[in-house]
Amino acid sequence: MVPVAVVPAAAGLTVATEDPRVTAATDRPIIAEFVDVHRHYVMGKDNVVRALNGVSMQVRKGDYLAIMGRSGSGKSTMLNILGGLDRPTTGEYRVGGRDVGKLDDDALSDVRGREIGFIFQSFNLIPQLTVLENLEVPLFYQGRVGPESRAKAQYLADRVGLGKRLEHKPMELSGGQQQRVAIARALMNDPLFLLADEATGNLDSNTEREILDLFDDLRKDGVTIVIVTHNPKVAERADLTLWLKDGQVEKLVDNRAAAPAAGGAP
Amino acid sequence: MIGDTMRIVRLGLKSLLLHKLRSSLTTAGILFGVASVIAMLAVGEGASKETLQQYRDMGVTNVLVRSKKPEETQQSTNASSMWNVLGYGLLYQEADRVQNLLPQGIVVRSREFQRGVVHGEHWASTMIVGTEPPFLEVTNMKVREGRWITELDMQRQTNCVVLGESLARQLFPLEDPIGQTVLIGVEDRFEIVGVLEYQGRAASPNGTTLDECAFIPLTSSRRRFGDTIRNPSTNRWENIELHEIKVKMPGPEWVESAAGVVDLMLKPAHGAKKDTEITVPLELLRKEERAERMFSLVLAVIASISLLVGGIGIMNVMLATVTERTREIGIRRALGAKKKHIVQQFLVEAGVMSTLGGLVGVGLGLLVPLGIEKYFEQPTEVKTQHVLMAFGISALVGVVFGLYPAWRAANMDPVEALRHE
């Protein structure tokens, strides 16, 4: 690992463009983009935490990107901004062609509801709702619940391997099954990309493998996946790994380059 | 749109069912609030209804002038021998003057005294009312059988009598009283010409009901019994010409000035002695109505306090719910819920609790007055507008007291909410 004391503002971009295998993919459209994003938390009078300190990066359609870093590296902050839960202090986060920093709360909620499919470490299903109802939650806020949403839920439940468990309560399912529900839920609104936060952190290694296999499957279908993790085993399954350190991009690694059989992105 | 509303309500019910005991206790708070509002107002209405009806029966277009026994002075108490005649009250002359002063009014005079009424082995000591034909109309009574006293009876001073309903039953339990005779006092035999319908109200301030009275022509009364009659309860001779002058005016708007005229007229003779009293039923009615409104208001305020307490209960539970479900709020926000959706969700939950409580409370509030009527024999009256008001307030309580918790839920930072354990 190369310690980088000061990285120029556009370091992420620079890394991405300098790497030939990454630039090879630039024909695919950019769906999410950080332009010199800073996120500062004012804790006290003279205590400002610079959680993100000038990050630039891009997510292209069809990417399978892992964001790695130790705790305190700015991973969570980056996840929150990527997911539209938080806004940059300065800089731009563009998703679906819109600058998220300039949106009001309702519009930001719409971004979360339409463009992003969240997958959480602790699944975050709503316990009092059945699997079907959980799947319908994102569409409900778009006012799109109906017979079609039911059919779609059934389709996605089959797709993630849940089968006929639509009427079960989350508590009646295993951890792996709950995470499958969460993945199906994330796909319900046809988001621009899936955003997974330590998606396998609460699972045993077998189940972890199953879920990562499912991600691979989805990716083959053209789903864009951004996964935030500190687990190298998870990160190396992704095509690209973005390393964060001290709120800045340390490096962008193309995992396919390391693997001899790796091919280019479709 | 309707489907979505149904979904939100169903979701609210589902969430409430997560904590069945807590939700039902909170709902009970509203339930008892609503029930108590309805029950209290029903009791209040019922209590005043009787009094109001009593005043209405006295006639809202009537002015009543009654003779009243003056307060006994020291002197007269000392002199209270059997032969000392106590003279007071209204005079025939005064009745004529009232009629002259109020030509629009119908003036009815009456004289009352206590006597035994005998038919064979049946006997009753009751109030005999000597009066005139218009009495029937002015007091709003109806004849059930036979006829009422006529002008001819007055002129001829006939010994005819009309019996009140219960008196007739007492004296003639098995026979038809019409055409039969009764003995009033010891020597005067009267023919029964009519029986009145049941009235169920008082004839005079001493509590005797109209149904217990026997009515005879005023002229006959004066001729057979005279003006000086021994009062059996005090054992004193009293000289009273008239007990009451009723004046029926053409409409309620006349009543006040008529009472003023009568008062002015009587003042010189009776002002100092205080042996007459003017009653205006309309005034009493209005006073009672005012008192009733006040009473209802006080009851409503007291009952509203219980609703307020219920509302505080809702707020308390909703605040707890919001804290407990912080994570759920975070999840929903992350999945695209806007602030208004979160507000909606928690408001509906609070509203479902208060509306359910309100509905059941209305049911209980309708039952309680029935029970009070049955077991305490206290009249009650449930008014539709009170029920609607109580239910409306309860539904509103849910919204008002759910507003702050819902607002708090909606304004949580989604990031913080998701991190909440």
Side-chain angles (χ1 to χ4, degrees):
Chain A
M1 244 181 262
V2 187
V4 184
V6 181
V7 179
L13 255 178
T14 317
V15 174
T17 45
E18 275 175 0
D19 189 321
R21 280 166 299 265
V22 178
T23 47
T26 48
D27 53 325
R28 284 177 283 124
I30 295 170
I31 52 178
E33 183 177 23
F34 271 39
V35 181
D36 191 22
V37 167
H38 291 251
R39 181 66 175 100
H40 299 168
Y41 297 97
V42 180
M43 309 302 282
K45 217 175 175 186
D46 301 311
N47 183 12
V48 177
V49 175
R50 296 168 197 277
L52 289 184
N53 208 356
V55 173
S56 297
M57 52 82 74
Q58 294 161 344
V59 180
R60 288 177 183 275
K61 189 166 169 40
D63 271 355
Y64 186 1
L65 173 73
I67 297 170
M68 281 281 281
R70 282 182 239 170
S71 50
S73 62
K75 254 184 359 232
S76 302
T77 307
M78 190 153 172
L79 171 95
N80 290 337
I81 293 176
L82 268 172
L85 292 166
D86 198 1
R87 292 185 182 86
T89 311
T90 61
E92 266 185 32
Y93 169 44
R94 310 184 64 83
V95 62
R98 287 194 283 184
D99 184 357
V100 163
K102 293 196 175 68
L103 299 178
D104 66 8
D105 193 85
D106 278 1
L108 198 56
S109 301
D110 266 340
V111 167
R112 293 195 292 264
R114 290 175 201 274
E115 323 286 25
I116 292 151
F118 272 103
I119 300 163
F120 304 92
Q121 176 173 7
S122 45
F123 324 135
N124 278 347
L125 301 174
I126 297 169
Q128 66 265 35
L129 304 182
T130 63
V131 167
L132 173 67
E133 288 165 333
N134 264 293
L135 291 183
E136 285 176 333
V137 168
L139 293 189
F140 176 68
Y141 293 120
Q142 318 291 330
R144 284 158 55 199
V145 169
E148 282 166 43
S149 68
R150 207 197 146 84
K152 187 164 189 184
Q154 183 61 64
Y155 165 77
L156 284 172
D158 288 339
R159 177 80 184 79
V160 300
L162 273 169
K164 300 196 184 325
R165 296 194 183 82
L166 283 183
E167 298 305 326
H168 286 57
K169 289 279 173 73
M171 294 303 282
E172 297 159 11
L173 303 177
S174 70
Q177 288 168 333
Q178 288 189 45
Q179 195 60 302
R180 284 166 195 273
V181 176
I183 293 167
R185 180 178 67 184
L187 290 166
M188 279 296 281
N189 52 3
D190 301 312
L192 283 176
F193 61 97
L194 290 186
L195 182 59
D197 175 20
E198 297 288 6
T200 59
N202 282 12
L203 303 173
D204 61 63
S205 53
N206 278 335
T207 319
E208 178 179 84
R209 202 175 313 120
E210 286 170 24
I211 294 295
L212 291 175
D213 288 347
L214 178 58
F215 280 160
D216 281 346
D217 278 356
L218 292 172
R219 195 187 161 291
K220 276 182 200 130
D221 291 350
V223 176
T224 310
I225 302 171
V226 176
I227 180 160
V228 176
T229 183
H230 66 269
N231 183 348
K233 270 197 283 179
V234 173
E236 71 197 15
R237 298 275 297 250
D239 295 344
L240 301 166
T241 305
L242 182 80
W243 287 85
L244 281 184
K245 189 178 179 185
D246 300 328
Q248 292 175 323
V249 175
E250 189 185 22
K251 58 185 175 183
L252 181 65
V253 178
D254 190 333
N255 299 322
R256 291 163 299 185
Chain B
M1 195 61 220
I2 290 162
D4 277 3
T5 314
M6 287 300 294
R7 276 184 157 268
I8 296 169
V9 171
R10 232 183 54 212
L11 177 72
L13 276 171
K14 240 179 191 175
S15 305
L16 291 175
L17 286 176
L18 283 181
H19 300 278
K20 290 189 188 70
L21 184 64
R22 193 168 79 181
S23 305
S24 39
L25 287 177
T26 313
T27 306
I30 292 291
L31 189 162
F32 290 118
V34 170
S36 67
V37 170
I38 295 174
M40 276 180 128
L41 287 174
V43 170
E45 278 297 325
S48 64
K49 192 190 173 191
E50 240 182 17
T51 324
L52 288 176
Q53 192 52 47
Q54 217 173 316
Y55 293 145
R56 260 182 223 119
D57 289 341
M58 287 165 79
V60 289
T61 57
N62 292 355
V63 175
L64 312 177
V65 193
R66 277 194 77 83
S67 300
K68 186 177 77 170
K69 196 170 174 181
E71 283 175 31
E72 301 238 13
T73 57
Q74 198 62 35
Q75 209 183 356
S76 64
T77 317
N78 286 344
S80 69
S81 79
M82 265 185 74
W83 310 110
N84 190 353
V85 176
L86 185 67
Y88 67 89
L90 298 159
L91 307 173
Y92 280 91
Q93 250 186 355
E94 287 165 342
D96 295 341
R97 280 164 66 193
V98 170
Q99 183 67 82
N100 286 339
L101 285 168
L102 301 168
Q104 310 85 349
I106 304 167
V107 174
V108 184
R109 305 163 292 178
S110 46
R111 173 73 167 93
E112 299 159 2
F113 56 95
Q114 202 76 22
R115 272 292 182 280
V117 182
V118 185
H119 165 70
E121 58 193 33
H122 298 287
W123 178 90
S125 171
T126 190
M127 197 165 92
I128 316 298
V129 181
T131 189
E132 302 177 277
F135 187 88
L136 192 71
E137 185 206 332
V138 170
T139 51
N140 218 353
M141 295 196 299
K142 283 197 177 69
V143 175
R144 193 183 69 192
E145 256 181 285
R147 64 171 179 85
W148 178 246
I149 298 161
T150 61
E151 279 304 329
L152 204 64
D153 292 325
M154 290 290 285
Q155 279 169 28
R156 293 187 180 166
Q157 302 170 3
T158 32
N159 277 12
C160 68
V161 62
V162 177
L163 301 182
E165 197 266 354
S166 53
L167 180 64
R169 261 193 298 126
Q170 197 180 347
L171 296 177
F172 300 91
L174 300 168
E175 308 156 67
D176 181 7
I178 306 290
Q180 310 230 34
T181 59
V182 285
L183 200 62
I184 296 178
V186 286
E187 53 187 9
D188 300 284
R189 198 157 274 285
F190 281 72
E191 191 195 344
I192 297 160
V193 295
V195 176
L196 294 173
E197 270 184 7
Y198 178 73
Q199 304 298 325
R201 52 188 157 110
S204 82
N206 69 19
T208 314
T209 64
L210 285 167
D211 306 301
E212 295 166 311
C213 293
F215 300 88
I216 60 175
L218 182 63
T219 48
S220 320
S221 159
R222 198 173 197 195
R223 180 176 176 123
R224 311 285 168 222
F225 304 97
D227 293 332
T228 309
I229 298 173
R230 195 164 59 86
N231 182 341
S233 58
T234 56
N235 211 18
R236 292 217 18 212
W237 289 90
E238 293 177 345
N239 185 327
I240 304 163
E241 288 194 6
L242 292 172
H243 270 95
E244 191 173 48
I245 302 172
K246 294 181 198 281
V247 188
K248 184 184 172 72
M249 299 307 293
E253 67 278 9
W254 294 78
V255 164
E256 204 180 327
S257 51
V261 168
V262 174
D263 187 42
L264 271 177
M265 191 209 90
L266 292 176
K267 212 162 225 163
H270 300 280
K273 262 168 98 185
K274 291 191 175 131
D275 60 346
T276 58
E277 188 177 40
I278 299 177
T279 311
V280 182
L282 186 70
E283 258 174 33
L284 293 174
L285 184 75
R286 295 215 170 118
K287 217 182 264 173
E288 178 65 20
E289 278 171 345
R290 268 201 301 279
E292 192 233 315
R293 272 200 295 277
M294 201 59 217
F295 186 58
S296 291
L297 189 71
V298 170
L299 284 183
V301 166
I302 292 172
S304 303
I305 290 172
S306 65
L307 269 176
L308 185 77
V309 172
I312 292 169
I314 285 195
M315 188 153 173
N316 201 357
V317 162
M318 287 314 294
L319 282 174
T321 303
V322 165
T323 307
E324 274 174 11
R325 285 158 63 193
T326 300
R327 199 184 180 91
E328 181 190 326
I329 295 162
I331 299 169
R332 289 181 180 278
R333 293 283 275 146
L335 298 178
K338 294 174 184 156
K339 283 182 180 178
K340 68 168 189 201
H341 291 124
I342 304 293
V343 167
Q344 212 173 41
Q345 182 185 348
F346 286 95
L347 265 191
V348 163
E349 256 175 64
V352 163
M353 274 199 283
S354 70
T355 310
L356 274 183
L359 276 178
V360 184
V362 165
L364 189 66
L366 293 176
L367 285 180
V368 166
L370 288 182
I372 290 174
E373 247 176 40
K374 187 157 185 208
Y375 295 105
F376 298 95
E377 284 170 6
Q378 170 86 25
T380 59
E381 199 193 4
V382 177
K383 280 198 166 172
T384 320
Q385 69 255 44
H386 290 163
V387 173
L388 291 178
M389 183 194 74
F391 180 70
I393 290 178
S394 77
L396 202 68
V397 157
V399 174
V400 168
F401 285 87
L403 211 54
Y404 174 66
W407 178 86
R408 237 171 69 158
N411 282 285
M412 282 178 180
D413 177 14
V415 175
E416 292 292 327
L418 275 170
R419 212 178 289 154
H420 192 268
E421 275 311 313

